[in-house]
Amino acid sequence: MATGSSPQRAYRAACPNCGAPVEFASAASASAVCSFCRSTLVRDGEALRRIGTSAELFDDHSPLQLGAQGRYQGVAFTLVGRLQYGYEGGTWNEWHALFDNGRSAWLSEDNGAYVLAFDLDAPAELPPADELHAGERRLVAGAAWSVASVTRARLLAAEGELPRPPQLSGEFTVADLRSTQGEVGTLDYSDPARPGWSVGRAIT
C-alpha cells in the first residue's frame, strides 16, 4: 500500500501480450489487468510481465465503476481497480481506491453496504482460519473484536490497477470482525503463509 504524503507519479507501459497501453495512476502499484486482452500483469523494472489471464467480470449491476471519485476525511480519491469475489451468498467487490495524497485503500461493496478500509501489517499470532467462528470474541492486534462472519470465497475476476497481483488460487477464508468503537476488521487468508489484515469503517 502506498502511504506517502505526496502523490506517486504516474506510470505507463505496453502490455506484453497485445501491445495496448497500460496506465498506472500510482507508480507504487505492482499489478494491473489489461483492459483490452484481460492479461494479468506485474511490474518488472520499466516493463510489464504477463502472469496469467483474468476472467470476465460478472455483471453485478454495481453503481460504481473505474474512475469514480469520492472524498473521505477531506481527501479526494479515485477508484482505479477492482477485485470481484464469489461466495455461497453471491458476489462482492473490493475496489482499489487511490487517494490524492498517494495513500490507497479498499472500498468493499456487498449488497449495497460499503466499508472503506486500509491495509495494515498483520499482527503476530493471528488465529488459524479453521479456528474462527461467527459470534465469538477474539483478541487481535491487542484489541477485542467480535467475529461477525466467516466466509469461504474465491476470486472471480479483476480489472484495473492493483497494489499487488491478484491471487487466483481457489477458495480461501475471509473473516469480518467488529470492534466496540465501530471499526470493521478483515482477516484475509488467500495467502495462508501471510494472512492480510485491514481495518476500516462502514460508510454511506
Side-chain angles (χ1 to χ4, degrees), residues 53-119:
T53 303
S54 176
E56 292 290 337
L57 290 155
F58 174 74
D59 186 5
D60 55 8
H61 306 290
S62 171
L64 301 177
Q65 60 184 341
L66 294 184
Q69 297 180 329
R71 186 174 292 271
Y72 182 70
Q73 295 183 344
V75 183
F77 66 83
T78 302
L79 301 183
V80 298
R82 169 163 61 152
L83 298 173
Q84 186 177 70
Y85 293 95
Y87 66 111
E88 187 178 2
T91 64
W92 88 87
N93 293 307
E94 296 284 348
W95 295 90
H96 179 209
L98 182 64
F99 284 79
D100 283 359
N101 61 8
R103 200 177 187 194
S104 68
W106 294 102
L107 178 60
S108 175
E109 174 195 19
D110 187 3
N111 292 321
Y114 299 90
V115 172
L116 188 72
F118 295 88
D119 286 336

Side-chain angles (χ1 to χ4, degrees), residues 98-159:
L98 182 64
F99 284 79
D100 283 359
N101 61 8
R103 200 177 187 194
S104 68
W106 294 102
L107 178 60
S108 175
E109 174 195 19
D110 187 3
N111 292 321
Y114 299 90
V115 172
L116 188 72
F118 295 88
D119 286 336
L120 301 176
D121 291 335
E125 300 181 4
L126 286 176
D130 57 4
E131 292 184 7
L132 290 168
H133 304 283
E136 68 178 356
R137 301 276 290 177
R138 284 282 181 171
L139 193 66
V140 180
W145 298 81
S146 296
V147 181
S149 65
V150 180
T151 304
R152 292 292 293 172
R154 66 190 183 283
L155 179 60
L156 301 177
E159 68 173 337

Side-chain angles (χ1 to χ4, degrees), residues 171-187:
E171 284 195 340
F172 61 95
T173 297
V174 178
D176 283 333
L177 293 74
R178 301 290 188 274
S179 76
T180 56
Q181 287 75 41
E183 293 176 311
V184 179
T186 301
L187 286 169

